[in-house]
Amino acid sequence: MPDDTDTELRDTIGRAVDTHAMTVVDDPLDAIEQRVARRRHRRHLVIGGSIAAVLVTAVAVAGALAMSDGDNEPRVVVSPTTTLPEPLFTEAVETMPKPPLAVRGDAAVVWNGAELVVWGGRVDVLNMGLEGEDRTYDDGASFDPATRTWRKLSASPLPATDDTPIGAPTASGVVIASGSNVAAWDSDANTWRSFDDAPSPVHDLAVDGDLALSYSANATLDLTTGTWTGLPRPPIELDRSASAWTGRELIVIGGPSTPFRSAVGVALDPQTRQWRRIADLPRDMFAEALAVDWDGTRIVAANYDMEAATYDPDSDRWTKLPSVPARFYEWYPAVRSAGDFTAVVMGQAVVILSADNTWVPLPSANLPWGPIATAQSNFRTQADHGVLFVWETDGDQNALHAIHIDRLIEQPSEIQVGTFTLALPDGWSIRSTQYDESNEFAQTVRVTIGSGADECRLASGPTATVGRESVTIDDSRNGLNWRRNAASTRWLAEFSTTDTVTVDCDTSRDARAMVKGVAPPGSG
Amino acid sequence: MTADEEIAASVRAQYTRLVGVVSMVTGSSHLAEEAVQEAFARAWERARKGYEFEHLAGWVATVALNQARSGRRRAASERAARARLAPAVDTSSDPDVALVVRAALEGLPGRQRDAVVLYYLVDLDVATTARVLHVSDGTVKTALSRAREKLAPLLRAAELEA
């Protein structure tokens, strides 16, 4: 039952709401109906996608596509606003209903602005710890976040092959490549259309209006005629590559198969059909396990060495970022941008790049997926309008998770420092991060947080100390062993000899309230 | 009742008050109308696909406020709103209560803020608020309790000064 204070508040606030309840539009119902009609016209996604990333923002206009709808004049369709439902994802982390597909890794997973489409894939029983024989799949399903439902795709003309399928969004659905076989799926009709075979297996795909682009096939596909046209050879060959579509160019970066060589890159302009070599990546950015995405104004690249950089195509310049502060998470990364945020996903780590180029490591304990055995085949990510979708293979099933990044970083209350979850005090924010691997056996993540003149320096790594004046605290809170330095404000929490965190604040603070828990990799 | 009829009935019954809610929270009546119309349009699309709302007005309020909070939409929708709507409604002389509520809401974490808006402004009960936000009743009660501690003394002071 509401108490007197409650009733008083409701009355007071209610009266204030009433004084603001003034509208100007004469017929709101008519105004809303007109909006619905306008949204229906804008529904289909137009922008091209990169091999593994799709970006849609509420107002981005990546270009206009002239489409013929059969009998009528060509109509211009501009990029849509997102159709993601906001209250459906009020939880910061949610697992969606199970997909109606047999478990598989290495599927093509494509977000087209309205649906997440999954197609193909395979089971490698040894790596996935499953029974039976290795097998491949040629079926798929589509997830609609608006209704939180899956539907099976109709039978496709694409064969299941050992090549990892890849896809990109189109105005009416998706285009999928399985080896050299390529077909487009229409969402409204749930039908497929085959195209000519690509000149070589397709490992990357982007769509620019009516044209699909592929570095690996070194050709373009006309989506209206279904025919491939070869491209000139790029200025350098990239053995391992990752690519992103900027809306004007296909940027491809990678390197030779020799390990530990710095990555290089090329860019394709589909209008001129010419490749250009772009500036080389910073020296530490090895081509090994690189991932990239386009955030609307720049390319963001990260590799499994925790190195990261951005590229501005206008100035042809790379800018090194601070290393990604994710300790022990040396999985093949994914980089996903949705305008408002860019996420680097590595195994159990999700680290967000904020607008001022500060990294915000999200708490791993809140992420719904467990240790990743082989992230490259078992992980797929997409992002749109504040939500990061993560498709994963977990044992004998697949799962689709939605991580509401914009809610988690709007006012982060918890962050991940190494393997520890820490609570940020109210009004505090991250000031800087550092990934220190100067000692390869003692990699350390450092995060400085602060509010006004007050700061705390956090560091997670193995075998730390708090100094000679240490006092051991008999406190089993969160299963950790605690020590503090009696002469200063420095605290240390130890989970094991390889998982420690130190908390060093300018003003005296009980660090035990800040350290919420520990999630070492492999702990499940 | 068909989906279209349900939405139309809700617009007739709730539109003005929801504009009041969003206007009070954002301080902009222009933005409020745009945001509420957009939220109803989204609700209409979902209703036609068979989506069942826990509480339609609560859903619309939450979506409208999310819309209004988005910085990118703000400039565009205000420009569009000014082009279509006239005369402008002056909210510069807001009663102190509105200013206090707005300031207090801005200081709340997202989840608490959503709960306060739905409970006190949209006038839902705890159980419905919890269903709209997909959280437990206990979470809503905790959020409201903390918000009440901040709001009650401020609002009493504002009312005395008014």
Side-chain angles (χ1 to χ4, degrees), chain B residues 85-102:
Chain B
L85 305 179
V89 176
D90 180 16
T91 56
S92 60
S93 55
D94 269 342
D96 289 341
V97 165
L99 290 173
V100 165
V101 170
R102 193 177 307 137

Side-chain angles (χ1 to χ4, degrees), chain A residues 313-362:
Chain A
D314 290 341
S315 62
D316 191 30
R317 260 189 58 192
W318 287 92
T319 304
K320 194 92 188 334
L321 293 174
S323 299
V324 182
R327 183 171 164 244
F328 286 153
Y329 298 126
E330 292 173 3
W331 310 114
Y332 286 87
V335 178
R336 284 283 167 257
S337 191
D340 294 341
F341 71 87
T342 296
V344 174
V345 184
M346 287 186 190
Q348 287 171 293
V350 176
V351 188
I352 307 301
L353 184 66
S354 60
D356 63 355
N357 285 348
T358 305
W359 292 106
V360 180
L362 300 183

Side-chain angles (χ1 to χ4, degrees), chain A residues 483-504:
Chain A
R483 292 203 292 284
R484 66 173 279 256
N485 187 315
S488 77
T489 58
R490 199 153 188 257
W491 292 72
L492 175 128
E494 186 180 77
F495 176 75
S496 68
T497 55
T498 54
D499 291 288
T500 68
V501 66
T502 54
V503 180
D504 186 3

Side-chain angles (χ1 to χ4, degrees), chain A residues 4-344:
Chain A
D4 288 344
T5 304
D6 211 55
T7 306
E8 193 183 327
L9 278 174
R10 277 187 182 247
D11 288 345
T12 305
I13 293 172
R15 284 196 297 275
V17 169
D18 288 341
T19 64
H20 280 71
M22 293 175 286
T23 63
V24 180
V25 65
D26 288 333
D27 189 345
L29 192 58
D30 181 61
I32 292 164
E33 282 178 316
Q34 286 182 33
R35 272 181 192 266
V36 172
R38 282 199 300 272
R39 285 168 61 82
R40 203 177 298 134
H41 278 304
R42 292 199 303 263
R43 191 164 193 268
H44 295 289
L45 180 62
V46 178
I47 64 171
S50 65
I51 51 165
V54 175
L55 164 64
V56 176
T57 66
V59 295
V61 178
L65 168 69
M67 287 170 57
S68 169
D69 58 358
D71 298 335
N72 303 323
E73 295 287 329
R75 58 187 168 86
V76 176
V77 177
V78 295
S79 296
T81 56
T82 182
T83 59
L84 271 189
E86 288 88 348
L88 207 55
F89 297 149
T90 49
E91 292 295 336
V93 178
E94 281 193 76
T95 297
M96 299 295 116
K98 288 191 195 318
L101 299 170
V103 66
R104 77 264 325 264
D106 287 312
V109 177
V110 187
W111 171 252
N112 73 356
E115 298 168 285
L116 194 89
V117 178
V118 178
W119 187 89
R122 63 174 171 264
V123 163
D124 176 336
V125 295
L126 196 62
N127 274 326
M128 293 170 69
L130 297 174
E131 302 292 324
E133 305 288 319
D134 288 355
R135 43 200 182 269
T136 54
Y137 291 99
D138 63 358
D139 63 346
S142 164
F143 178 73
D144 179 0
T147 56
R148 296 177 78 129
T149 55
W150 288 91
R151 58 168 169 152
K152 291 269 323 233
L153 306 191
S154 60
S156 85
L158 296 167
T161 70
D162 284 332
D163 277 305
T164 300
I166 199 78
T170 65
S172 54
V174 294
V175 58
I176 303 282
S178 177
S180 302
N181 306 282
V182 188
W185 176 71
D186 182 288
S187 171
D188 286 344
N190 194 10
T191 55
W192 291 87
R193 177 191 165 195
S194 287
F195 298 122
D196 292 347
D197 284 358
S200 56
V202 178
H203 300 134
D204 66 284
L205 204 57
V207 170
D208 174 23
D210 275 339
L211 203 64
L213 323 168
S214 174
Y215 165 79
S216 50
N218 201 34
T220 60
L221 168 65
D222 186 322
L223 293 173
T224 53
T225 63
T227 53
W228 287 89
T229 307
L231 287 164
R233 295 213 69 78
I236 43 172
E237 299 293 334
L238 303 172
D239 193 43
R240 302 164 186 269
S241 66
S243 66
W245 170 245
T246 70
R248 286 187 358 215
E249 288 180 306
L250 181 69
I251 306 277
V252 187
I253 63 174
S257 55
T258 311
F260 308 121
R261 292 278 300 275
S262 296
V264 293
V266 294
L268 171 71
D269 180 344
Q271 301 292 320
T272 63
R273 302 182 68 81
Q274 294 297 317
W275 291 98
R276 68 180 175 97
R277 180 155 177 176
I278 66 173
D280 292 349
L281 276 75
R283 204 164 58 85
D284 316 351
M285 292 286 297
F286 300 137
E288 186 71 26
L290 263 174
V292 292
D293 203 358
W294 174 251
D295 77 354
T297 57
R298 59 190 185 168
I299 291 284
V300 181
N303 70 5
Y304 91 162
D305 238 3
M306 315 304 171
E307 302 298 337
T310 60
Y311 174 72
D312 175 11
D314 290 341
S315 62
D316 191 30
R317 260 189 58 192
W318 287 92
T319 304
K320 194 92 188 334
L321 293 174
S323 299
V324 182
R327 183 171 164 244
F328 286 153
Y329 298 126
E330 292 173 3
W331 310 114
Y332 286 87
V335 178
R336 284 283 167 257
S337 191
D340 294 341
F341 71 87
T342 296
V344 174

Side-chain angles (χ1 to χ4, degrees), chain A residues 6 8-10 15 20-21 23-25 35 39-40 57-58 83 85-88 90-91 410, chain B residues 33-34 37-38 42 45-46 48 51 63 73 86 94 111 113 119-120 123-124 133-134 148 155-156:
Chain A
D6 211 55
E8 193 183 327
L9 278 174
R10 277 187 182 247
R15 284 196 297 275
H20 280 71
T23 63
V24 180
V25 65
R35 272 181 192 266
R39 285 168 61 82
R40 203 177 298 134
T57 66
T83 59
E86 288 88 348
L88 207 55
T90 49
E91 292 295 336
E410 183 184 292
Chain B
E33 284 226 61
E34 282 289 315
Q37 285 177 21
E38 182 64 22
R42 292 178 183 219
E45 284 185 329
R46 280 154 186 70
R48 282 179 174 165
Y51 183 65
V63 172
R73 288 194 181 87
D94 269 342
R111 182 53 52 81
R113 186 175 56 216
Y119 183 78
Y120 286 115
D123 209 25
L124 304 185
L133 295 178
H134 297 271
R148 248 195 310 267
L155 284 178
R156 279 190 199 114

